[in-house]
Amino acid sequence: MFDFGSGIGSTIWAADEIWKGSLDEIFCVDLNENMNDLSRELLQKGTTHSENILNKTFYRQFLPVKHRPGYDLVVSGFSLLDFPDTAGRIYLIENL
């Protein structure tokens, strides 16, 4: 799963609840480094499957340069609203 604009990790919690640890990798990108840190801290202290999730959750502050590997599920909750114009949104969608 690839979560763009992952924030405090709400999508991670939901995915863990729905798929009960069956995701192989969770890749989170959020521009705010503090959000990444907070998400990691919340995962360490709160999920039922926390050890399993922590071992396969990775955080970045920016989109990767290369688009490999691909992901079966891409989530972008509210991040599209942060782009000021349609061209920027289309570019992001194509890259996700």
Side-chain angles (χ1 to χ4, degrees):
M1 180 178 79
F2 177 22
D3 186 5
F4 181 76
S6 55
I8 61 170
S10 304
T11 301
I12 299 169
W13 290 69
D16 182 52
E17 182 63 30
I18 297 297
W19 291 298
K20 303 288 186 214
S22 66
L23 296 173
D24 293 332
E25 180 178 279
I26 302 169
F27 186 76
C28 301
V29 174
D30 198 290
L31 291 174
N32 188 329
E33 189 175 348
N34 294 323
M35 289 294 234
N36 291 331
D37 293 341
L38 181 57
S39 174
R40 189 178 297 110
E41 186 174 335
L42 288 170
L43 280 177
Q44 289 173 341
K45 296 183 179 178
T47 64
T48 307
H49 308 91
S50 60
E51 186 175 320
N52 191 21
I53 289 177
L54 285 172
N55 292 336
K56 58 186 169 185
T57 302
F58 305 94
Y59 293 90
R60 293 212 31 181
Q61 197 171 0
F62 303 102
L63 280 172
V65 175
K66 295 183 180 185
H67 303 291
R68 302 287 181 257
Y71 292 90
D72 294 324
L73 175 63
V74 177
V75 179
S76 180
F78 298 99
S79 300
L80 291 176
L81 298 174
D82 293 336
F83 284 78
D85 57 32
T86 303
R89 291 183 193 113
I90 291 172
Y91 176 81
L92 175 63
I93 291 168
E94 288 172 347
N95 284 288
L96 292 177

